[in-house]
Amino acid sequence: MSSTDVEVVTFPFHDHPLSCCDDPVAAEFYCSLCSHYHSLSWQVFRSGVWQNEVEPWFRTSEYHGPALRISNNINYHCKECDIMMHKDCVDRLFNQPFICNHILKIFVSTISPLDSIVDDLCHFCRFEVHHMFLRCTICNISLHIGCVAEPPPLTISEPKHHKHSLSLLLRLVTFTCNACGVEGDRNPYVCLECNLMVHKDCVENLPRVISINRHDHRISHTFHLGEKEGDWECGVCRKMINWVYGGYKCSRCPSYAVHSKCATKKEVWDGLELEDVPEEEEEIKDPFKVINEKGDIVHFSHEKHILRLDENYVTDDANMRCRCCILAINGDPCYKCMECDFILHKACANLPRKRRHLLHNHKLTLSSRRIDEDNFLECSACRIYTDGFIYECLHEDCENKNAYDVRCSSVSEPFHHDLHQHPLYFTLQSSRRCQACNKEIKDDPLNCTVCDEYSLCMRCATLPRKVKHRCDDHFLSLCQGVGNASGDLWCDICETKTDPSVRYYTCDECGLSLHIDCVLGDLYYMKLGHQNPEMEIHPNNGATRPSCARCGFRCKFPFFVRGTKEQSALYVCSIDLCPR
């Protein structure tokens, strides 16, 4: 066939006749099937020999010699639809029936959405089909060209996951997956011998054995949880699990199970498949060593001196703070240094060096380096500044090197709060509003499984239950609601109204109602004194409150920042709360 001849052919995969040619007018055209540009080959005479080139490259160079155009592919063109196709692409996609045993047809749509088609989503990937796509008019399904080029396998053999081969049932059918318990509406893989129907993703991607941050032991996947006394409750979302279907179980804890989808969320699982990986107990160092019969200890954070336990330490100094959590001692049992002012709550001194925690999918390591570096960080959970001990992720593959203060790291499930009657859980329900501060929660909140709307952000969940403030001689406690008060509530610190619908601090004896930010500020969890070469943190307990260099008002918060770089000291109310 010469370059000027045009043959017209028809195929069952398209309703219009196609022009067949091996030499299109344009030097370059776009194949609608493989989505690639096809450039014709040329030969040019360089240095005494013919060399292959691609137009238009050689025409933009300094070459002005002879050139031969060479056609290396036969192509089809539909004038009505204005599409062109490689013959090789046509042969690859249409030379035999699709896996449904029917011939697919090319559809070109100029209307969006596709009015004449019931389902305008690809049958396999469930993304919207666009200008050109394929359809099986018998099965009434639409398909992306890429999904047809690489269709799902007809059979899957995963002997570690299931002893029999699983076969694809290519049709629209409603089923409940035996692997994850979630309903599907198409293309299950079935085992006729075991009467199983599963999602393709589940049989290919669900790990067999994993560790999650909600449980101390490994958990294994099963296609059938089975009956037990009482209902199965998911260890993540706290909802019921249908025992007929699959999930993850703990071989050591007979009543512990997790939904397949919950167990494999990135917030819960570290992404490691542990089947055939030996389970070895990690040796974790103790946080301190007992050195004598009196119970004196040497703590890893303060190895140069000895600490001694005081079960009834009482001090009027509200600035005497635990070096770990930076909270006031308030008469709690504590370890005091025999030679300096270093002090730790007894509970803080016993914090483990490593732990799994609900906030992160890797193990966290306890670090005291902030007390030596004279700087502070923002906790990744509550977003509060601290220079106390932190739990940080040191995993080499961790994308987010998060760090959490010890208050957030000590929150466990079930979490009980004095101002709510039900336990709270990390159920991974996002876009909630905190019932304590009425702010939207961006990260995972603590949720009540009884009261659907009740959630707490980590900042409100870890607020000190009792605090001391210079405006009152008694301990202040958290409160929400008007209680026995009549009329409006007013904050005695900033002299503005207190909103009883959010939490505030009150004195049961004096009836004060104080804003939480006014009582704590945002420097409450940082050690007093030197912080870095440019700033110091001081208590705001002088006879005269300093004027803030930012807002121009007298500092109202319990602590302020004093700049040390300038010759004349500058004072700032806070890091973030200061009105500018």
Side-chain angles (χ1 to χ4, degrees), residues 64-337:
H64 299 288
L68 297 174
R69 188 165 65 174
I70 304 170
S71 175
N72 59 5
N73 203 354
I74 297 175
N75 310 287
Y76 297 114
H77 179 222
C78 176
K79 293 182 179 179
E80 283 196 55
C81 300
D82 192 24
I83 59 174
M84 297 196 73
M85 297 168 284
H86 292 132
K87 180 180 182 298
D88 290 344
C89 294
V90 169
D91 291 342
R92 188 173 70 253
L93 292 174
F94 302 109
N95 64 353
Q96 62 184 2
F98 190 52
I99 57 177
C100 62
N101 290 323
H102 305 139
I103 298 295
L104 301 178
K105 300 194 73 170
I106 295 176
F107 273 65
V108 177
S109 173
T110 58
I111 304 174
S112 182
L114 305 176
D115 294 339
S116 61
I117 297 174
V118 175
D119 190 358
D120 61 353
L121 303 179
C122 174
H123 182 71
F124 289 129
C125 68
R126 304 307 294 151
F127 287 104
E128 185 178 355
V129 294
H130 298 292
H131 172 66
M132 180 172 168
F133 58 97
L134 306 180
R135 274 187 59 76
C136 177
T137 55
I138 297 176
C139 298
N140 191 29
I141 58 175
S142 305
L143 301 158
H144 282 133
I145 295 171
C147 292
V148 173
E150 297 183 9
L154 290 173
T155 60
I156 294 178
S157 179
E158 294 282 350
K160 286 187 176 182
H161 210 64
H162 190 63
K163 58 185 177 181
H164 305 131
S165 293
L166 301 170
S167 302
L168 174 64
L169 180 60
L170 185 64
R171 65 177 300 166
L172 293 169
V173 56
T174 301
F175 69 100
T176 302
C177 176
N178 286 96
C180 67
V182 176
E183 189 175 280
D185 64 352
R186 67 195 61 222
N187 309 335
Y189 278 85
V190 300
C191 176
L192 297 178
E193 295 183 60
C194 302
N195 194 26
L196 293 179
M197 302 181 80
V198 295
H199 296 119
K200 176 177 179 288
D201 287 344
C202 289
V203 72
E204 288 186 337
N205 300 324
L206 275 183
R208 288 280 298 119
V209 181
I210 61 176
S211 285
I212 61 174
N213 60 6
R214 300 296 205 277
H215 198 61
D216 293 331
H217 312 135
R218 293 182 177 184
I219 55 177
S220 304
H221 185 263
T222 176
F223 282 99
H224 181 71
L225 284 175
E227 288 186 277
K228 75 176 186 71
E229 186 176 348
D231 295 324
W232 288 101
E233 182 186 73
C234 175
V236 175
C237 71
R238 302 294 162 177
K239 296 179 181 178
M240 294 301 108
I241 308 175
N242 191 333
W243 60 267
V244 174
Y245 302 108
Y248 284 87
K249 295 172 63 175
C250 177
S251 59
R252 300 190 193 181
C253 308
S255 62
Y256 189 83
V258 183
H259 285 122
S260 298
K261 296 296 185 183
C262 292
T264 51
K265 288 184 176 182
K266 61 180 178 60
E267 299 91 348
V268 177
W269 175 44
D270 59 8
L272 297 178
E273 163 68 82
L274 299 178
E275 187 172 34
D276 299 329
V277 177
E279 186 170 10
E280 299 177 355
E281 293 292 336
E282 182 181 7
E283 185 177 350
I284 300 176
K285 295 180 179 179
D286 293 328
F288 59 80
K289 294 179 180 179
V290 180
I291 60 172
N292 56 36
E293 295 180 355
K294 296 180 180 179
D296 295 342
I297 65 170
V298 174
H299 197 269
F300 82 93
S301 64
H302 195 68
E303 294 181 334
K304 57 185 178 181
H305 298 148
I306 296 172
L307 306 182
R308 178 166 294 174
L309 179 64
D310 189 332
E311 293 280 5
N312 299 297
Y313 182 65
V314 178
T315 177
D316 292 331
D317 187 0
N319 298 320
M320 180 63 72
R321 303 293 190 89
C322 169
R323 204 58 197 89
C324 175
C325 66
I326 317 295
L327 293 178
I329 298 301
N330 287 341
D332 299 321
C334 61
Y335 281 98
K336 296 192 301 179
C337 180

